[in-house]
Amino acid sequence: MNLGIVQSLPNAPAHVVRTDSFSKFQAICGLIERDDYLAAHAACHATMNGIDRTTAVHADPSQLSSVVEAVERLIDAAEDLDAIVLPGISDAQIQDDVCSICAKSSARRDMVVLLDPEERASIEEIVARQKCLPRFATLTWPRIQTVTPGRRSADKLPASCLAAPLVLGCAPYLRGVHDMPDISLDAAQTLAHSGVAVLVGKVVGRRRVVALYGSSGSLRTEMAPKVDAPDVQVFADEESAFEAQLQATLQDACATCLAAHPTNNRDLWGALARCATAVLMRAKSRGQIVDYHVRCDEETASWGTPDAPVVEIILKYPKRVRSIRFDFC
């Protein structure tokens, strides 16, 4: 998946920036030190929720000509775009011109454009605005408080900064959510039925996450990702059973650590990493896995909740060119 981002970049690179990690994005475009650096927030939440690549271009969001030129450059430079996001750019004229460019371009027909309504727009105004947009463009709503790696406090972001992984089906729900506004069912249904991508709160385990409310009036929590690779392999039953057993063992080990370390700090992160490593060392010694990677630090902790950090675990299996990733909190 490739997400195109058009917004102001502090380093104002003259070229289109293609990256496959958030650290590379920051190295080229600028560190995420401000809550209004919406391009970085969008890139961060995209890459930590299943989108492989981001392609960004600098633009002055207050200038129609600057945004239009940036979108044209973006489309010319990246023909594999799955979505374009203009986080925080709610001017109707800019949005209409961008949609016209996308409609005339040679970009993929299934590319979507994610937009934001005016911050104080009413439900009726958002519905009316959505009706004026082409089918491939969708407004996203509402603004959500998030926890972004590298930021010490929560940021209230436009929904377009978060929606791409859900709309594209890369993730069933989003990590990195701090708090959600209360949304009435009537409001969510009215917006979803008009085509607006409505993000709603959902509790998964001990985490507060965000899911996409579909036009059918239900949460879309098992959206199938697009698969282009021809060599996708399905686990045999015994491998699936091993995964389930390993996951349960890791969950138990991490739960013991959480109970022994009530404060969410570096001591807890280190204890969780050591606990998971001990479990995986045993699996490796038995030949069940070839290699593993465990990480629990300030960045992965911010993917969870203030009291439940995430442990990132990547496994490599024997006789398979394949990895699997668990994120536990």
Side-chain angles (χ1 to χ4, degrees):
M1 292 292 177
N2 186 0
L3 176 66
I5 304 173
V6 178
Q7 244 291 354
S8 175
L9 306 176
N11 292 350
H15 58 288
V16 175
V17 178
R18 302 180 185 84
T19 58
D20 58 6
S21 71
F22 183 52
S23 59
K24 293 178 183 177
F25 180 95
Q26 289 192 102
I28 299 172
C29 301
L31 297 176
I32 185 166
E33 298 176 338
R34 308 191 317 270
D35 57 0
D36 62 347
Y37 185 8
L38 297 180
H41 285 289
C44 174
H45 287 275
T47 54
M48 77 178 185
N49 283 291
I51 290 182
D52 307 306
R53 302 180 305 285
T54 58
T55 304
V57 61
H58 173 72
D60 181 345
S62 66
Q63 298 293 323
L64 172 62
S65 59
S66 177
V67 176
V68 167
E69 180 186 351
V71 172
E72 290 174 337
R73 291 171 55 207
L74 178 68
I75 292 175
D76 289 342
E79 295 183 355
D80 62 338
L81 291 173
D82 294 282
I84 294 178
V85 60
L86 288 75
I89 301 178
S90 57
D91 181 89
Q93 184 62 59
I94 293 178
Q95 292 180 351
D96 288 343
D97 284 11
V98 167
C99 289
S100 297
I101 294 169
C102 294
K104 296 175 183 177
S105 74
S106 59
R108 288 173 48 172
R109 293 184 179 180
D110 57 351
M111 182 184 72
V112 297
V113 178
L114 302 178
L115 304 169
D116 291 304
E118 293 285 350
E119 184 174 355
R120 297 184 180 180
S122 65
I123 301 298
E124 294 75 16
E125 290 171 334
I126 297 173
V127 169
R129 176 61 184 149
Q130 180 65 54
K131 291 179 179 178
C132 297
L133 295 172
R135 293 178 63 87
F136 60 80
T138 181
L139 295 175
T140 58
W141 187 84
R143 297 174 71 90
I144 297 173
Q145 277 201 327
T146 63
V147 182
T148 303
R151 300 281 297 161
R152 294 186 177 276
S153 59
D155 299 291
K156 193 173 184 180
L157 302 179
S160 65
C161 287
L162 309 167
L166 294 177
V167 172
L168 296 176
C170 299
Y173 45 76
L174 299 182
R175 299 176 300 186
V177 179
H178 179 71
D179 197 12
M180 278 288 300
D182 291 329
I183 303 173
S184 71
L185 179 60
D186 288 344
Q189 287 180 332
T190 299
L191 290 167
H193 290 164
S194 71
V196 177
V198 183
L199 307 187
V200 300
K202 182 177 176 66
V203 176
V204 176
R206 296 176 59 186
R207 287 185 293 173
R208 178 75 162 172
V209 299
V210 162
L212 185 67
Y213 194 86
S215 59
S216 62
S218 60
L219 285 177
R220 281 197 264 165
T221 57
E222 294 184 2
M223 300 164 59
K226 298 178 183 177
V227 179
D228 297 321
D231 58 346
V232 174
Q233 300 183 28
V234 179
F235 277 152
D237 290 342
E238 61 270 16
E239 290 176 320
S240 300
F242 165 70
E243 282 186 17
Q245 182 181 9
L246 180 61
Q247 183 173 351
T249 304
L250 287 166
Q251 289 278 26
D252 290 343
C254 289
T256 301
C257 274
L258 285 169
H261 297 77
T263 304
N264 189 358
N265 55 21
R266 294 184 183 279
D267 291 340
L268 172 59
W269 306 339
L272 286 170
R274 289 191 297 273
C275 235
T277 298
V279 173
L280 298 173
M281 284 179 65
R282 290 194 294 272
K284 183 177 180 179
S285 68
R286 297 174 186 142
Q288 295 168 309
I289 58 176
V290 172
D291 205 356
Y292 58 85
H293 161 84
V294 178
R295 183 166 71 112
C296 187
D297 53 24
E298 184 176 8
E299 181 176 349
T300 67
S302 67
W303 299 348
T305 65
D307 60 349
V310 166
V311 183
E312 179 187 68
I313 298 173
I314 300 175
L315 307 179
K316 185 176 182 181
Y317 284 87
K319 301 180 183 179
R320 302 275 184 179
V321 184
R322 186 184 183 283
S323 295
I324 184 169
R325 171 172 169 164
F326 294 146
D327 288 336
F328 292 106
C329 68

